[in-house]
Structures are given as structure tokens and as C-alpha cells.
Amino acid sequence: MYGIALEGGGTKGAYQLGAWKALRELGIQYNVVAGSSIGSLNGALMAMDAYDEALELWQNIDPSMIIKGDAKLLKKISKFSFDYNDFHEMVQFTGDVIINGGLDVSPLRKLIGDIIDEDIIRQSPVRLGMVTVNLTDMKPVETMLDDIPRGKLGDYILASCSLPVFQRNYIDDKLFLDGGFHDNLPLNLVASTGCKKIIAIEIKGTGRRHKINDPSVEVIHIVPSEDTGGLLEFDQNRAHQNIKMGYYDTLRIFKNLRGQRYYLDHCPEESVFISWLLELTDDQILGLGKSLGIRRMSAKRMLFEKIIPELAVLLGVSSKKDYSDLFISLYEYCAGKMGMERYEVYDTLDFFEAVEKQLLEWNGIGSKDDSYFGQWLKSTGLYNVARKDEVLMDILFKTIIMRQ
């Protein structure tokens, strides 16, 4: 049985819903969930097993659900898309925020009251915990539901979500602040309940994080494979993308899928990729070297001492990775440039075939720059960096032709 730790990060939290969806489909059980900031709200919904309610919330996320004010203006502010025509409204809004001591989050308080059922959570087999900071007493608060007075759960969730830009939040005359100022990913709170396996669902939030104190605890990190947006980016399209990303990133971890950007299953052994390299003729290798500006070397040395290391650098593939990772990264890079659908689980060889098919139809592949300046630029190594897209597409194109 697992415990789950949910990182704080505002509207990035939609990612955690996607991860939750994958865990449900995979049949992964957990008996503890603890979160900081938005993680405390998502954690409460998980403890309620209220997935459908959570999905409706995140699919329809809007600034008016969290902050009181003109919804259109708030959305512009969240995207930094306001202009001169919004000047008067911006001045008025800023003045109101200053006078009122921060953003009015009474809609968030109402939202928590509407969707969180404390009685259901107290009866749930899943134990709930959260992190906040008691500013009055200058001490962090890492608490499980059992230690929260009945009727106060909503107050503590709001306290955990209380960013400094929000109006002050009090519980029994004590001032509270966002949990991210103490521990934005409460691994130790989950471990304190006796959990020895923790799934940490991160969202690239901003805040302090503490390392796990107990080395015997296994932590499985689910980390966004791409940017999750801004802290208060109220954009439904972004939320939808984060939900899908959370879902597929979680499948990657638990189904051992390959790839960094795409999700690849049934990957051949490394020996298959090595055999592809060994089948290249000297002329083919020299042709690849020319694309990278490499000359005057024997073919096989060029392949293993120059071409492969250069490709690894261009693709950002660590020396700890094997040849299959190098091939996958090359195909992923080109697939991304051609706009291939990302959120799908592919069979690895089917993915390669789909990339190759699109690439053979792609226009403008292969550089014909044989000018003196072009040759000099290639010799400096700057050519590959400056023309990374074209070089990598050219390399894969030539590789495909060679294998046909």
C-alpha cells in the first residue's frame, strides 16, 4: 500500500488530477495522502474518492472561482496579456488589492466549502494530511486530519493555500500562510504515518522542500515532462494539457515506458540498435559525418568517436544512457518538430515507422550549404548548434534512407 505526497503549485495542480486518473486505472491503492497548498485541496478530493467532482473543477477552472473581481481582467492578469486599454481597470484593481490587504479569495473559501465533505473524509479509509505555517506562533504546521478540530478542515485547506498575495487568513485568531513556505512536498509527513512507499506527484511548484528523513522509505517521483504553466494561470486549455500530461507521465513510470517526450512501449534491446549502427557502410558513415561537419577520419572511428558523441550532445542524452536512448531521442526530437501527437502510448517500432513516414514527406530536409563560410562554420562546431533542427532532421533522414 502506498502513501501519496502532493506538491503545491497553484493552477499547476491540474497535473495531479491526471496522475490520479492513471493510478485509478492501474488499480494502485493508497491509504495516506498529504499535500501542501493546492496539494491539500487535491488530497482532500482524493481522500473523498471524488474524482468526477475534481475533474469538473479542473476542466472549468476560472479565476472567478478563486479570486473576487472582474473575471476578464483577472484572466488577463494571470496571462500577463493586459494592454493600454486595461490601464484604468488595472489601477482600480491594484488600489483595491492594496486597500483590502491582498487578493480577496472568498470565492476559494466558498469553493472549498461546496466541494469538500469533511464527514466523508473523516470516514474514509484514506488518511488525509496537509502542511501550513502558523505565522502568529512562527512555526510550521504538519498535521493529519485526526489532529484538526472537527469542522475546521476547510479552514486548514484554505490556510495551506494562503499565498502572501491573498488576504490574511486566520484560524482561531492565528494567522496562517501557504504550506510551501515550510515544505511544498510533504514526504516526511506521509512517512510519519508508517508508509514505506510514497508516490510523490510533483508539479514544478515554487517552495521549500525537505529531503526524506528515513532512508528506508522508497519514493517514486512523478515529475512533469514539460512546463506546467504559471502559479495562477487560469487557462482551461492549459489545465486540459496538464491533466493529459499527468496521466501519461504516470503511465510512463508504472508501465516502464521509454522516451522523454513521447511514451513508447515494447522497446527493442540495445543490441538491435547497435546492429543498425554496425550495418552502416563506410560511405554512409562519412555521409553522416558530413552533415555534422566532421571530416578526415576513418569511418568506424568517426562513427563511435565523433558522430555518436556529437548527436548525444545535440540531443542532450547523458553518457549514462544507452544506444536505444540515443535513437529514441533522435526520433522523438524529429517527431516533436513535425507535430506528431504526443499523448498516446506507441509501440516503439510503430512510432519509428510513423516518424519515418512523415519525415520522408517533409520538405526542406538536408542542408546544401557547401559555401566556404558554411564549411568554416561546420569546422568550428558552431554550425551544429546554430542549425540544430536541420542537422538532426538531416541525420535521421539519411539514417532512414540507409535502412531501406
Side-chain angles (χ1 to χ4, degrees), residues 255-282:
K255 298 185 77 171
N256 295 314
L257 303 179
R258 300 291 292 272
Q260 296 298 313
R261 176 178 171 81
Y262 289 83
Y263 307 88
L264 309 180
D265 203 2
H266 307 115
C267 182
E269 296 292 329
E270 183 184 22
S271 58
V272 172
F273 298 98
I274 294 175
S275 70
W276 289 1
L277 292 171
L278 294 175
E279 289 170 3
L280 295 175
T281 67
D282 287 358

Side-chain angles (χ1 to χ4, degrees), residues 358-374:
Q358 284 201 29
L359 189 54
L360 290 173
E361 298 171 355
W362 190 259
N363 292 322
I365 297 175
S367 172
K368 300 287 193 260
D369 187 359
D370 289 319
S371 66
Y372 177 82
F373 178 75

Side-chain angles (χ1 to χ4, degrees), residues 147-386:
D147 298 319
I148 296 176
R150 185 171 290 273
K152 297 285 187 179
L153 175 58
D155 294 331
Y156 273 81
I157 292 175
L158 185 61
S160 184
C161 297
S162 292
L163 294 169
V165 294
F166 294 167
Q167 289 181 358
R168 293 183 176 186
N169 181 60
Y170 291 88
I171 302 176
D172 299 329
D173 298 324
K174 304 283 189 181
L175 178 61
F176 284 81
L177 185 64
D178 190 282
F181 284 86
H182 170 61
D183 191 352
N184 209 33
L185 185 64
L187 298 172
N188 289 304
L189 178 57
V190 177
S192 70
T193 67
C195 285
K196 292 298 183 182
K197 288 187 177 182
I198 300 176
I199 301 170
I201 306 177
E202 305 181 28
I203 53 177
K204 297 187 177 179
T206 301
R208 297 183 62 193
R209 286 172 50 168
H210 298 286
K211 293 181 179 180
I212 192 78
N213 293 329
D214 186 349
S216 69
V217 174
E218 177 188 356
V219 181
I220 300 170
H221 291 273
I222 299 173
V223 182
S225 50
E226 284 192 349
D227 179 45
T228 48
L231 182 68
L232 294 175
E233 186 176 342
F234 297 95
D235 183 279
Q236 292 177 10
N237 290 330
R238 169 72 77 174
H240 293 168
Q241 285 296 109
N242 283 345
I243 290 171
K244 287 196 289 187
M245 181 165 42
Y247 174 78
Y248 281 97
D249 285 352
T250 303
L251 290 184
R252 188 203 308 282
I253 296 297
F254 285 96
K255 298 185 77 171
N256 295 314
L257 303 179
R258 300 291 292 272
Q260 296 298 313
R261 176 178 171 81
Y262 289 83
Y263 307 88
L264 309 180
D265 203 2
H266 307 115
C267 182
E269 296 292 329
E270 183 184 22
S271 58
V272 172
F273 298 98
I274 294 175
S275 70
W276 289 1
L277 292 171
L278 294 175
E279 289 170 3
L280 295 175
T281 67
D282 287 358
D283 287 342
Q284 290 172 337
I285 294 171
L286 294 174
L288 294 176
K290 184 178 179 181
S291 295
L292 290 165
I294 304 169
R295 298 176 183 273
R296 300 185 183 90
M297 286 188 70
S298 65
K300 289 298 187 288
R301 285 192 62 186
M302 179 186 290
L303 176 62
F304 290 101
E305 295 181 19
K306 293 291 185 178
I307 294 176
I308 291 174
E310 181 71 14
L311 280 177
V313 170
L314 287 174
L315 292 164
V317 177
S318 166
S319 60
K320 296 179 181 178
K321 301 292 185 177
D322 61 25
Y323 286 108
S324 56
D325 290 302
L326 187 66
F327 270 89
I328 287 171
S329 294
L330 179 59
Y331 275 84
E332 281 190 301
Y333 188 90
C334 294
K337 291 299 175 181
M338 294 185 294
M340 275 187 59
E341 173 58 39
R342 181 186 176 204
Y343 294 113
E344 180 179 334
V345 177
Y346 294 91
D347 177 273
T348 301
L349 294 182
D350 288 345
F351 175 71
F352 285 4
E353 184 178 346
V355 174
E356 291 172 2
K357 182 179 179 180
Q358 284 201 29
L359 189 54
L360 290 173
E361 298 171 355
W362 190 259
N363 292 322
I365 297 175
S367 172
K368 300 287 193 260
D369 187 359
D370 289 319
S371 66
Y372 177 82
F373 178 75
Q375 292 302 319
W376 174 83
L377 193 60
K378 287 181 180 182
S379 69
T380 66
L382 298 175
Y383 182 86
N384 296 338
V385 175

Side-chain angles (χ1 to χ4, degrees), residues 101-151:
L103 296 170
D104 183 347
V105 289
S106 53
L108 176 58
R109 182 181 290 276
K110 182 179 184 303
L111 173 67
I112 292 171
D114 289 343
I115 66 173
I116 299 301
D117 190 318
E118 183 173 340
D119 290 335
I120 290 178
I121 296 176
R122 289 191 180 275
Q123 297 169 14
S124 171
V126 178
R127 298 180 62 193
L128 175 65
M130 63 197 64
V131 180
T132 183
V133 176
N134 183 332
L135 273 181
T136 302
D137 297 336
M138 295 299 292
K139 67 178 184 180
V141 178
E142 296 178 303
T143 183
M144 300 301 294
L145 180 60
D146 294 343
D147 298 319
I148 296 176
R150 185 171 290 273

